[in-house]
Amino acid sequence: EARLLSKLSLMIPENDYHAALHAQGKNETDYYHYHDYYEILFYLGEQEAFYEKDDGILTICKGDVVFCRMFENHVVRCANNEGYQRFCIGIEPHLLGRFSKKNANLYLLFSNQNPGYPVMHLDMARMQKYVQMIEELQQLKKTPGEQIIASSIIHRMLGCLYCVIQPKSGPETANIQHMDMVGSIIHFVEQNLDQDLSLDVVSQHYNYSPAYVNRIFKEITGSSLVRYIIEKRISCAKQMLYGNM
């Protein structure tokens, strides 16, 4: 069974996004898992790897960009990172909504309206633009000012990908609105883990019925809201134990 890998379980500090270069050592996530955030993977390895999800296995090569939806079961099959170098960006769902514009909805990057979903093949000439941005991110320190610069680089990456793909609005528009709503719920849960998070409380916050909120959440994520909250709290408890609390 796939495991939830949230920011809490990965010991990642609170932020709207996080980025990591996997270049050396053992692949620590060589098992089926899913995230409560969106993920973009830039594959930079010299050797082919395999991106496996519920509906099949795809071969990924140097220059490929992988778009992974929230709660989508997946794994990159490679025992070690040497030769399978990749740069992963985890993006909080509410950040996609904040960065989006009226005629450029970034949620579409992770929908079937993206002709490059789930894997977009780029030659290294076109990938070079993203490699330069990755290098910029890697060189930044964690000072408050440089965190603003990092956010602007992530924003630029998303804009460039959108320009390449040029997804078109269509029959999935209502589904995109639901994705935005679920992203907001996930953010609300994360900010209130130590509070009462019954289905009634969450639904009242959004002025919808409990049945509607639970149906939309399960439709987008495949998980019930109650189950997600339990898994999130377990991740939080594990983090506290690792920190000797």
Side-chain angles (χ1 to χ4, degrees):
E1 186 177 346
R3 290 157 53 181
L4 169 65
L5 283 187
S6 66
K7 289 187 301 183
L8 288 170
S9 57
L10 292 170
M11 305 299 174
I12 295 169
E14 287 298 317
N15 208 339
D16 288 335
Y17 62 87
H18 59 275
L21 177 66
H22 302 278
Q24 295 180 335
K26 181 183 177 184
N27 178 17
E28 298 294 341
T29 56
D30 190 23
Y31 51 84
Y32 236 40
H33 62 274
Y34 59 94
H35 307 294
D36 52 0
Y37 51 81
Y38 293 93
E39 185 177 50
I40 298 176
L41 182 153
F42 295 88
Y43 193 73
L44 308 171
E46 296 296 337
Q47 301 182 50
E48 291 182 346
F50 299 97
Y51 178 67
E52 182 178 335
K53 58 195 195 86
D54 285 344
D55 58 358
I57 301 174
L58 297 169
T59 301
I60 52 176
C61 311
K62 189 171 185 176
D64 286 350
V65 182
V66 180
F67 298 92
C68 183
R69 293 171 178 165
M70 230 181 3
F71 288 80
E72 187 169 67
N73 298 333
H74 67 284
V75 61
V76 177
R77 293 292 183 193
C78 57
N80 294 290
N81 291 321
E82 288 85 353
Y84 301 93
Q85 189 176 32
R86 58 204 184 277
F87 187 78
C88 300
I89 303 173
I91 305 165
E92 293 296 301
H94 71 276
L95 186 68
L96 290 178
R98 205 163 76 219
F99 280 174
S100 292
K101 301 298 179 185
K102 183 178 181 180
N103 296 319
N105 191 327
L106 293 175
Y107 285 106
L108 292 175
L109 291 174
F110 302 90
S111 79
N112 291 331
Q113 290 164 251
N114 169 5
Y117 172 84
V119 178
M120 179 173 68
H121 302 286
L122 296 179
D123 56 48
M124 283 310 295
R126 289 194 295 164
M127 175 60 82
Q128 193 57 39
K129 172 169 52 180
Y130 301 101
V131 171
Q132 289 173 353
M133 286 187 269
I134 290 168
E135 289 173 349
E136 283 184 63
L137 282 170
Q138 292 293 99
Q139 291 165 6
L140 292 175
K141 297 176 183 176
K142 295 183 179 179
T143 61
E146 290 187 330
Q147 288 173 7
I148 296 172
I149 297 172
S151 179
S152 71
I153 296 171
I154 298 294
H155 199 162
R156 186 153 40 107
M157 276 185 172
L158 291 170
C160 289
L161 288 169
Y162 195 94
C163 287
V164 170
I165 293 162
Q166 296 185 345
K168 292 181 170 56
S169 296
E172 287 193 15
T173 301
N175 195 46
I176 298 297
Q177 292 172 346
H178 292 164
M179 290 165 71
D180 193 28
M181 176 182 169
V182 169
S184 177
I185 291 172
I186 286 172
H187 185 63
F188 177 76
V189 167
E190 192 163 86
Q191 299 300 309
N192 295 279
L193 268 183
D194 58 342
Q195 304 297 318
D196 179 5
L197 283 175
S198 66
L199 192 54
D200 285 340
V201 167
V202 176
S203 58
Q204 283 173 16
H205 180 78
Y206 289 93
N207 295 316
Y208 288 114
S209 71
Y212 179 80
V213 168
N214 196 52
R215 179 174 67 80
I216 295 303
F217 193 89
K218 191 161 189 178
E219 176 185 295
I220 297 299
T221 68
S223 168
S224 72
L225 179 56
V226 171
R227 177 184 173 187
Y228 169 66
I229 292 169
I230 291 170
E231 289 181 317
K232 193 78 173 179
R233 283 177 166 160
I234 289 172
S235 292
C236 186
K238 286 180 178 178
Q239 186 184 44
M240 290 176 173
L241 289 170
Y242 287 136
N244 296 321
M245 291 181 67

